[in-house]
């Protein structure tokens, strides 16, 4: 499973402004509504329900909010680099500035877990995270995430 299978180029937000975890999840739900046509409120409820089970702030400034929904037809990702780090109640208590949200169909059990594992593996790479934090355009961020050599910057991203 490739990141490009989970993330469309227009699902990258290079400088999302959010002051809190709740506001961040609201912004992600709004963007996900545009991609999936699923109710923004329903997406937000799904993300908040998942957070109640335990934080999706995995440490090192990274969060991977996710959920499964019957209305979602395919695994859909959104990546956001935050304009400023926020408190996310992460496992290491560090503020979060890199967020990869995943929504999956209700019946996507194994594929949903594979997608989460793929995103987690990618974002555990400190070099990738440094490049993501330094990138300023959606195109450059998408290129870094998907492993393409050129993110429209003329620079090597791999």
């Amino acid at each position: 499973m490739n990141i490009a299978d989970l993330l469309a180029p227009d699902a990258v937000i290079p400088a999302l402004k959010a002051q809190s975890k709740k506001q961040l999840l609201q912004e992600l739900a709004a963007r996900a509504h545009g991609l999936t046509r699923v109710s923004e409120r329903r997406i937000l409820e799904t993300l908040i329900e998942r957070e109640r089970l335990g934080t999706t702030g995995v440490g090192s400034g990274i969060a991977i909010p996710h959920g499964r929904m019957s209305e979602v037809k395919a695994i859909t990702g959104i990546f956001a680099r935050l304009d400023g780090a926020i408190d996310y109640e992460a496992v290491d208590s560090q503020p979060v500035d890199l967020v990869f949200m995943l929504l999956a169909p209700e019946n996507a059990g194994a594929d949903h877990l594979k997608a989460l594992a793929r995103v987690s593996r990618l974002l555990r790479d400190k070099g990738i995270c440094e490049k993501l934090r330094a990138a300023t355009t959606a195109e450059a961020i998408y290129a870094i995430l998907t492993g393409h050599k050129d993110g429209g910057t003329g620079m090597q991203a791999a």
Side-chain angles (χ1 to χ4, degrees):
M1 180 174 295
N2 295 320
I3 295 295
D5 299 330
L6 310 172
L7 186 70
D10 63 347
V12 173
I13 310 166
L16 180 66
K17 290 177 179 22
Q19 304 302 314
S20 67
K21 181 177 182 176
K22 183 177 182 189
Q23 186 182 15
L24 168 64
L25 295 177
Q26 288 170 327
E27 293 288 338
L28 292 171
R31 183 64 68 107
H33 165 71
L35 294 169
T36 64
R37 294 293 164 226
V38 173
S39 154
E40 189 175 322
R41 168 180 247 145
R42 179 86 176 83
I43 294 168
L44 180 60
E45 287 170 357
T46 298
L47 295 174
I48 289 172
E49 278 175 35
R50 173 56 190 84
E51 289 299 320
R52 283 192 190 115
L53 298 175
T55 185
T56 58
V58 296
S60 302
I62 297 159
I64 309 174
H66 58 277
R68 292 195 304 210
M69 304 175 66
S70 57
E71 304 91 329
V72 173
K73 302 301 176 223
I75 297 177
T76 304
I78 295 177
F79 180 84
R81 186 174 66 80
L82 303 187
D83 207 24
I86 61 166
D87 177 31
Y88 196 91
E89 301 155 355
V91 294
D92 64 356
S93 301
Q94 295 302 305
V96 161
D97 65 341
L98 299 177
V99 181
F100 201 123
M101 184 201 73
L102 285 171
L103 294 176
E106 195 75 61
N107 60 358
D111 286 340
H112 177 65
L113 293 177
K114 284 180 194 167
L116 282 169
R118 180 70 186 94
V119 168
S120 178
R121 239 185 348 266
L122 177 73
L123 296 178
R124 271 199 308 257
D125 183 319
K126 287 184 174 32
I128 295 277
C129 290
E130 286 173 16
K131 289 177 185 176
L132 291 170
R133 288 182 171 110
T136 56
T137 67
E139 295 79 17
I141 291 170
Y142 184 78
I144 294 162
L145 289 168
T146 58
H148 292 113
K149 298 286 185 214
D150 184 81
T153 62
M155 298 187 327
Q156 294 283 318

